[in-house]
Amino acid sequence: MVELINQGVYLLNGTHVVKGDSGMPSPDEARENTITYQILRAHDVDGSKGKKMRIRFDAMMSHDITYVGIIQTARASGLKKFPIPYAMTNCHNSLCAVGGTINEDDHVFGLSAAKKYGGIYVPANQAVIHQYAREAMVKCGNMILGSDSHTRYGSLGNMGVGEGGGELVKQLLENTWDINAPEVVLVWLEGEPRKGVGPHDVAISMVKAVFDNGFVKNKVLEFAGPGVKHLPIDFRNGIDIMTTETTCLSSIWITDDEVKHHYEIHNRPQDYKELRPGKVAYYDSMITINLSQQESMIALPFHPSNAFTIHELQKNPEEILRKVEEDAKKRFGDKISVDLVSKVKDGKVMADQGIIAGCSGGTYDNLSAAAAILRGQSVGNDYFTISAYPQSVPVYMATTRNGIAEELLEAGVVIKPAFCGPCFGAGDVPANNGLSIRHTTRNFPNREGSKPGQGQISLVALMDARSIAATAANGGVITAATDVEYNDDHKRYDFDGKIYERRVYNGYNKADDSVALKYGPNIKDWPKMYPMQENMLLELAAVIHDPVTTTDELIPSGETSSYRSNPLKLSEFALSRRVPEYVGLSKRIQQQDLERRDGKCPQHITDALAQVGAKAEDTSFGSCVFANRPGDGSAREQAASCQKVLGGDANICYEYATKRYRSNCINWGIVPFTIAKETPFDYEPGDFVFVPGIRDAILAGKEEIDAKVITKSGVKDIHLFFQNLTQDERTILAEGCLMNYYAAQRK
């Protein structure tokens, strides 16, 4: 169904793929004819068509986990007004059950910021962030930067990029997003999906094919081919939003009459234009997807790439589920006891819960198909439950007017307002050892909201809304939607934007400096962060040898979300579900560095420095995290900022899972060291890494340095890399963080 072609190809006239370069223009010349490069070059302020790009975006998006920190950082860096449309949605901290008033305090702060700086404020439960962007912000040929990893609008002709808050701060201060000119991967769609196959099925198959091998990492996916015309907009959106899970940089699709219809029904026909590659376009590699061969899929814990067809699971359930149990044992040890094999009853796998939600699941078409499958059926009154979250009020209104909501409710589905909680562990947490099947974006550990550290565990498998509905109609027995008969005769989606006209505050170009920001008691400024010193002494506070470390493990989601506006409080949760002792160790290291700065250097630091001939007054002392491949998943900058708040000065790894996490580290003054793949890292927490002359090396443009590891058994050599840093990024690291960088510029 999915074929990977690991060589360059040419696309002629948008219709004919050619392998080989005989008689063709050079790859560099023909790559400029991709849709990707047409858009990127139009946004590159240098205009040089070189190997580096400095991008300015047309608009930005944030939600209520991230916008407070972004505005606080930008304000401390000299923000006067928002220079581009900046929409702040309230779809993550919509619940006010945790932490008293603090969630709503953030919302009030957001509205006051929109008034003061000229922003767009979308009240709680009106829309999830990416659906509001689709309905109100996208334009063909434009680029949107979002502080959420699933910022993907390529199916609507608008390139979306998800980054940490620091990159949004740069745009607010009219600086640039700096990248290497990316490779482009052609995603060639053929055939037509059969009935019962949905967008999550295609997306899960694609993620399975490319995640582990890094086939598309930091590249742009460009979708084309004869299969595109067979996909409705919601189907395309559902595939596109999941490209984040491939670790690609961004995505873009050809546009056609279906996309034109989207802009017409959203009362913005002027924002549509046809996007096509040029006559001869070059792609660095290619993915072919035959939609006609696609089957109903299930992605088992703990990643969207851990995927099987539902039929494969049905044939061999115990062996497949036992492997998940073994994986859980490796991750959590004896803290919890996972029992998935008991879900097999009479050879059939039973789910405990179904959820259709968020930017990927709560679309009109998904809810329409689910209602058609459940028409006249019942989810029953046993343990299985199911909830659906329409992704915006306009979508909710359309499901009500067209009978979809009625059919879902009659079948026993609970309908809830627009909210992203089921995607990151807030709301609808299953019972202990429960198996939840979800049309949401991720099924990483703890994304369903359980707390293994307290002896509880539940698990999420990803499925398409159609198969979730088929499962619900079958009493919780996991069922492929391709195996059931149904007729989806509901009307097509027709957008009604009156609620946005009445409830959304649109203050773009209406900044009012006289408006005071409204602070709740939980909204705190960033603590002081110090510039880099001549040398760096690091103490390893966490050593993680897992193949991949997610941002959810670096800073948990769920109950921590309410504290995202309080840097000191939030930092207490850093690595709490993976390395519980990390916070205590980091705080001790940080306190000892403060003593060193006061001229009272602890003896063990003096002793360590003596082994390498260095002085305490020239050498900073901070904590360090080692992980094989950190930063997969969310764009949340707090995965890095919490390390910095706790005195973190560097990370060491073999590679960073995503550009966005590495960028977050840089913007928070954490040096993103890497080591060669063949270098063993058999050191332990408490060992030291001494990096001599690091400040001069970074500012001089060097990309590698010799360092020393100081262990109980002696001093050993280690070679560290810090490659592909722009000059601005080097200065940010030297100054200690992005805020310090801007403060230094204002002096």
Side-chain angles (χ1 to χ4, degrees), residues 643-664:
Q643 294 175 50
K644 187 66 175 183
V645 167
L646 291 169
D649 280 344
N651 284 343
I652 300 174
C653 66
Y654 290 106
E655 67 170 329
Y656 290 87
T658 57
K659 175 197 174 297
R660 52 185 175 268
Y661 174 65
R662 183 177 181 274
S663 295
N664 287 338

Side-chain angles (χ1 to χ4, degrees), residues 110-167:
L111 179 56
S112 70
K115 292 182 176 183
K116 184 177 185 67
Y117 298 119
I120 301 164
Y121 178 84
V122 184
N125 300 125
Q126 295 300 308
V128 303
I129 176 173
H130 303 308
Q131 183 61 10
Y132 184 77
R134 293 165 183 157
E135 292 174 338
M137 302 292 288
V138 296
K139 296 181 181 181
C140 287
N142 273 16
M143 294 187 70
I144 290 179
L145 180 66
S147 56
D148 184 274
S149 57
H150 290 101
T151 305
R152 291 287 189 270
Y153 316 121
S155 48
L156 297 170
N158 189 127
M159 287 184 71
V161 175
E163 280 279 9
E167 295 301 319

Side-chain angles (χ1 to χ4, degrees), residues 211 302-303 331 442-447 544 546-556 575 578 627 629-634 636 639 657 661:
F211 175 76
F302 295 96
H303 197 274
R331 292 172 183 270
R442 289 194 176 122
N443 60 339
F444 295 171
N446 316 123
R447 290 289 286 204
I544 306 170
D546 299 346
V548 178
T549 303
T550 68
T551 46
D552 284 303
E553 292 169 306
L554 293 167
I555 183 66
L575 278 166
R578 183 61 188 82
R629 189 183 173 204
D632 184 35
S634 171
R636 68 176 73 107
Y661 174 65

Side-chain angles (χ1 to χ4, degrees), residues 335-336 451-456 559:
K335 296 176 184 177
I336 48 88
K451 299 178 181 180
Q454 298 180 17
Q456 52 177 255
E559 82 278 10

Side-chain angles (χ1 to χ4, degrees), residues 534-536 690-695 697 705-708:
E534 179 182 335
N535 309 314
M536 179 180 286
F690 176 70
V691 191
I694 181 61
R695 182 182 176 91
I705 196 166
D706 289 320
K708 303 287 185 181

Side-chain angles (χ1 to χ4, degrees), residues 36-187:
T36 299
Y37 269 65
Q38 292 173 40
I39 294 176
L40 287 173
R41 294 301 190 195
H43 291 81
D44 183 359
V45 299
D46 285 345
S48 61
K49 293 192 175 182
K51 296 296 185 181
K52 302 284 186 179
M53 293 182 174
R54 299 173 60 235
I55 303 296
R56 285 213 177 106
F57 289 83
D58 301 290
M60 297 201 308
M61 305 291 302
S62 287
H63 50 63
D64 48 347
I65 280 180
T66 56
Y67 65 63
V68 175
I70 290 167
I71 292 166
Q72 287 284 76
T73 305
R75 182 181 64 83
S77 303
L79 175 68
K80 299 301 181 185
K81 66 177 182 178
F82 296 157
I84 56 177
Y86 181 23
M88 295 172 282
T89 65
N90 294 276
C91 52
H92 279 58
N93 279 351
S94 303
L95 299 177
C96 295
V98 178
T101 69
I102 59 180
N103 286 355
E104 191 60 22
D105 289 346
D106 284 356
H107 300 164
V108 170
F109 175 91
L111 179 56
S112 70
K115 292 182 176 183
K116 184 177 185 67
Y117 298 119
I120 301 164
Y121 178 84
V122 184
N125 300 125
Q126 295 300 308
V128 303
I129 176 173
H130 303 308
Q131 183 61 10
Y132 184 77
R134 293 165 183 157
E135 292 174 338
M137 302 292 288
V138 296
K139 296 181 181 181
C140 287
N142 273 16
M143 294 187 70
I144 290 179
L145 180 66
S147 56
D148 184 274
S149 57
H150 290 101
T151 305
R152 291 287 189 270
Y153 316 121
S155 48
L156 297 170
N158 189 127
M159 287 184 71
V161 175
E163 280 279 9
E167 295 301 319
L168 277 79
V169 171
K170 290 177 182 177
Q171 295 290 314
L172 289 177
L173 298 174
E174 300 188 77
N175 286 325
T176 57
W177 179 61
D178 301 338
I179 58 170
N180 295 326
E183 292 188 5
V184 187
V185 180
L186 177 63
V187 184

Side-chain angles (χ1 to χ4, degrees), residues 595-662:
E595 293 171 10
R596 179 196 64 83
R597 292 177 186 275
D598 287 339
K600 304 172 185 177
C601 187
Q603 188 62 45
H604 76 287
I605 298 177
T606 302
D607 292 344
L609 291 174
Q611 294 185 66
V612 291
K615 298 178 181 179
E617 57 266 30
D618 300 326
T619 306
S620 63
F621 181 49
S623 56
C624 178
V625 173
F626 170 83
N628 282 335
R629 189 183 173 204
D632 184 35
S634 171
R636 68 176 73 107
E637 65 178 296
Q638 293 89 354
S641 66
C642 285
Q643 294 175 50
K644 187 66 175 183
V645 167
L646 291 169
D649 280 344
N651 284 343
I652 300 174
C653 66
Y654 290 106
E655 67 170 329
Y656 290 87
T658 57
K659 175 197 174 297
R660 52 185 175 268
Y661 174 65
R662 183 177 181 274

